Amino acid sequence: MEPILEIRHMSVFFTQYERGIRKRILPVIRDLTLSVEAGEIVAVVGASGSGKSLLAHGILGILPYNSHMEGTIRYAGESLTPERSAKLRGKEIALIPQGVTYLDPLMKVGDQLRKGNRSEAVRSRIRRALERYGLGAETEALYPFELSGGMARRVLIASAVAEDPRLIIADEPTPGLDARAAERILGHFRELADEGSGVLFITHDLELALTVADRVAVFYAGETIEEASAEDFKEPERLRHPFTKALWRAMPEHGFKPISGAQPYPGAVLAGCPFAGQCSDCLPECKTAEEIPLREIRGGRVRCLHPYGERKKEETI
Ligand SMILES: Nc1ncnc2c1ncn2[C@@H]1O[C@H](COP(=O)(O)OP(=O)(O)OP(=O)(O)O)[C@@H](O)[C@H]1O
Ligand SMILES: [Mg+2]
């Protein structure tokens, strides 16, 4: 069966002008290949600035005007052009945006969720969606400025999933919510996936991702550096990339060891592996390689010249 969402070789570039005259092309996502099957929750995990929101916006055809995208995106077996995406957005394809500013400040909650449809069926569907997230009927009469941050976030989520979407793209859906509310949302994603939808769950929090995801795509400086099953994280010797191992070690239950250094700014890496500056296993060729292909190893994928499981030198976790 074809995946619900299939992204192949996606790259996103920004055009910038230095001092107003010199044109500069800034690559922010490079050669990203990722798919989501029906019934599956795929988490995209990466640090702030790694390109996660741009990935979501690229899929939905809502990238900023000063950017352009390469590569192909297919949804349910057909090419997802910006026109097709505009038609499906808010219906079959739901975006839970990262910022609550996506709510219309001048429209009451109930009106924005109903999108002009006053039928009883729509009314009761909206009511059920809000109730599911602990928001009573009175919420419908409020304007966004009358909502707390957590309420606004729950309204966004209720609005996105009210239409029974087949593909849900959730961009950091849980910050500002208490653990129970977050659990309820992730539990609902699981239900939607079990009913046959695909979910792309974007987060910076690996621990949270592993509570619900089937697969994890690890994002670093605009590239997927590893794709692993959630199971692989239970046996860390199965993990393939030094950054994924470092993320695993940074989890509270695995010692909370911080990763030293910072991810490079987009466009700063001209050659070699973007993680080279932070990698404790970096070799000279890692800094100069022209291309580091994404390779399949042990049922997952990795973008590393010397992934774990293929090294001769003693392996450590
Ligand atoms: N309109 C823009 N013009 C130029 N660069 C941009 C623009 N929007 C985003 N970027 C850059 O693209 C990179 C990726 O941004 P993005 O918003 O996708 O990050 P993110 O992974 O979602 O981060 P966060 O976890 O903080 O939400 C960042 O380095 C950012 O500076
Ligand atoms: Mg973001």
Side-chain angles (χ1 to χ4, degrees):
M1 213 171 70
E2 291 226 40
I4 282 234
L5 177 71
E6 193 175 14
I7 304 167
R8 294 177 67 85
H9 305 295
M10 178 205 263
S11 294
V12 174
F13 306 88
F14 279 110
T15 308
Q16 289 186 331
Y17 289 90
E18 280 172 355
R19 288 192 219 97
I21 37 171
R22 256 205 15 238
K23 194 163 137 179
R24 186 165 169 236
I25 306 287
L26 201 64
V28 279
I29 293 185
R30 271 176 297 187
D31 193 23
L32 183 138
T33 292
L34 185 69
S35 61
V36 181
E37 308 278 338
E40 192 182 36
I41 302 181
V42 177
V44 169
V45 175
S48 181
S50 56
K52 305 182 298 295
S53 293
L54 292 174
L55 164 65
H57 296 174
I59 297 167
L60 287 148
I62 53 168
L63 283 168
Y65 73 96
N66 61 332
S67 64
H68 81 271
M69 190 170 85
E70 289 173 4
T72 57
I73 305 177
R74 290 167 72 80
Y75 165 74
E78 274 176 60
S79 170
L80 188 64
T81 57
E83 298 74 33
R84 184 162 175 243
S85 167
K87 273 198 207 120
L88 299 175
R89 205 157 61 220
K91 300 182 186 85
E92 277 185 40
I93 305 182
L95 170 69
I96 300 173
Q98 183 169 15
V100 290
T101 50
Y102 284 77
L103 290 170
D104 182 340
L106 302 176
M107 222 189 207
K108 287 183 180 168
V109 166
D111 293 336
Q112 18 197 321
L113 265 61
R114 282 190 287 273
K115 300 180 185 124
N117 190 328
R118 307 215 141 257
S119 76
E120 198 42 51
V122 169
R123 272 173 191 273
S124 63
R125 196 164 67 211
I126 301 291
R127 188 141 323 139
R128 275 201 310 276
L130 288 171
E131 260 168 27
R132 170 163 218 148
Y133 290 109
L135 298 163
E138 65 285 357
T139 319
E140 292 184 43
L142 301 177
Y143 284 98
F145 76 88
E146 295 173 294
L147 304 170
S148 71
M151 282 169 86
R153 187 149 281 287
R154 284 181 284 154
V155 165
L156 270 183
I157 297 168
S159 158
V161 296
E163 307 258 352
D164 286 332
R166 285 183 68 196
L167 174 66
I168 298 111
I169 298 170
D171 189 358
E172 298 277 6
T174 60
L177 298 180
D178 60 62
R180 263 196 39 233
E183 222 170 80
R184 200 181 304 172
I185 288 159
L186 299 182
H188 190 194
F189 287 173
R190 184 76 263 168
E191 271 174 45
L192 289 164
D194 290 346
E195 287 162 14
S197 301
V199 181
L200 191 69
F201 170 32
I202 294 174
T203 176
H204 65 278
D205 187 340
L206 175 61
E207 206 186 356
L208 189 69
L210 290 175
T211 60
V212 70
D214 300 300
R215 271 188 310 128
V216 177
V218 181
F219 231 54
Y220 186 87
E223 295 184 12
T224 12
I225 52 100
E226 177 157 358
E227 236 184 272
S229 69
E231 290 291 309
D232 289 343
F233 288 84
K234 291 186 186 148
E235 294 170 60
E237 55 285 353
R238 291 182 57 83
L239 297 173
R240 304 153 187 84
H241 196 286
F243 178 56
T244 318
K245 296 248 194 204
L247 276 182
W248 185 91
R249 286 192 296 264
M251 285 169 70
E253 73 231 55
H254 305 139
F256 233 145
K257 292 187 199 74
I259 306 171
S260 59
Q263 169 186 262
Y265 187 73
V269 182
L270 300 173
C273 170
F275 187 58
Q278 286 184 277
C279 184
S280 51
D281 299 309
C282 178
L283 296 169
E285 64 264 32
C286 300
K287 292 189 176 162
T288 53
E290 262 181 35
E291 206 204 331
I292 303 179
L294 199 60
R295 287 190 290 153
E296 303 229 347
I297 299 183
R298 296 194 293 280
R301 289 199 264 193
V302 64
R303 198 189 287 275
C304 176
L305 290 179
H306 302 285
Y308 284 91
E310 280 200 348
R311 299 173 174 209
K312 293 207 178 60
K313 71 178 199 170
E314 195 177 313
E315 297 197 353
T316 47
I317 158 75

